[in-house]
């Protein structure tokens, strides 16, 4: 896209953070629905604590840390590094639902990028050859915005937070005011999570959340459910 018609970096971040982005994020609860079924989440306070814990324990130490390393790798055209990060994401998906989510959302985001014609053919072909995971596809999209790394990660984290809040509103269920209080808490927590992700090395990056994996596995055979994870 020409520089005189392309949206600014800030607008691209807002666009990527929007729940309206057609990649299917709204259809996943990432274990929250199973936590509700097990009685671990049952009101606003427990739902807020659950999502905040997930932000710090799984997102900042895992997927957000991948984004922090992949965005500059895209800008350096370091395909070996990108493939290694993508492989790491795939090996950390402990259930069929988790793997389905990262593959489906990765493909959908790649289709979105292809439709907007913002990425080069070589970059798109590289992604299609992997297959691409959601964190790698999102890091690709964020790298095209050419914004500071911390702002890119904040946009990703807030988009994730909005989807998780909407999942809580539908499944706990909660009211809209409760959802806004949840988002306010998450907005205060996101800068710390972003800094944690930026500071992590390969050796420190991790995906250790055994209870979340157990709940995800249980959700696959849950009798009644709204979400795909």
């Amino acid at each position: 896209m020409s520089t005189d018609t392309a949206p600014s970096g800030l607008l691209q971040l807002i666009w990527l953070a929007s729940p309206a982005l057609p990649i299917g994020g709204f259809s996943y609860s990432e274990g929250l629905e199973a936590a509700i079924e097990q009685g671990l989440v049952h009101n606003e306070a427990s739902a807020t604590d659950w999502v905040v814990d997930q932000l710090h324990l799984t997102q900042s130490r895992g997927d957000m840390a991948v984004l922090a390393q992949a965005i500059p790798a895209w800008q350096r055209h370091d395909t070996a590094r990108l493939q290694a990060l993508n492989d790491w994401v795939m090996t950390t998906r402990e259930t069929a639902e988790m793997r389905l989510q990262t593959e489906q959302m990765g493909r959908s985001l790649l289709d979105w990028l292809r439709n907007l014609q913002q990425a080069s053919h070589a970059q798109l072909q590289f992604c299609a050859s992997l297959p691409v995971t959601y964190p790698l596809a999102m890091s690709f999209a964020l790298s095209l915005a050419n914004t500071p790394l911390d702002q890119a990660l904040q946009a990703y984290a807030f988009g994730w937070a909005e989807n998780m809040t909407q999942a809580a509103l539908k499944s706990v269920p909660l009211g809209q005011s409760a959802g806004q209080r949840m988002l306010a808490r998450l907005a205060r927590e996101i800068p710390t999570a972003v800094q944690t992700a930026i500071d992590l090395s390969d050796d420190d990056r991790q995906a250790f959340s055994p209870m979340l994996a157990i709940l995800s596995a249980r959700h696959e055979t849950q009798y009644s459910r709204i979400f795909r994870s």
Side-chain angles (χ1 to χ4, degrees), residues 110-164:
L110 194 60
D111 287 342
W112 181 82
L113 287 166
R114 187 179 292 113
N115 183 57
L116 291 184
Q117 300 180 340
Q118 285 185 307
S120 72
H121 178 73
Q123 290 171 317
L124 292 170
Q125 285 297 105
F126 168 72
C127 288
S129 70
L130 293 174
V132 69
T133 62
Y134 177 57
L136 198 76
M138 178 55 78
S139 68
F140 181 23
L142 290 168
S143 73
L144 297 174
N146 291 313
T147 57
L149 183 60
D150 61 333
Q151 293 180 17
L153 292 182
Q154 286 176 22
Y156 164 83
F158 192 77
W160 173 86
E162 280 204 286
N163 274 322
M164 293 299 293

Side-chain angles (χ1 to χ4, degrees), residues 189-204:
E189 301 281 348
I190 282 173
T192 299
V194 165
Q195 194 59 52
T196 296
I198 291 173
D199 291 341
L200 287 179
S201 66
D202 279 0
D203 292 337
D204 295 327

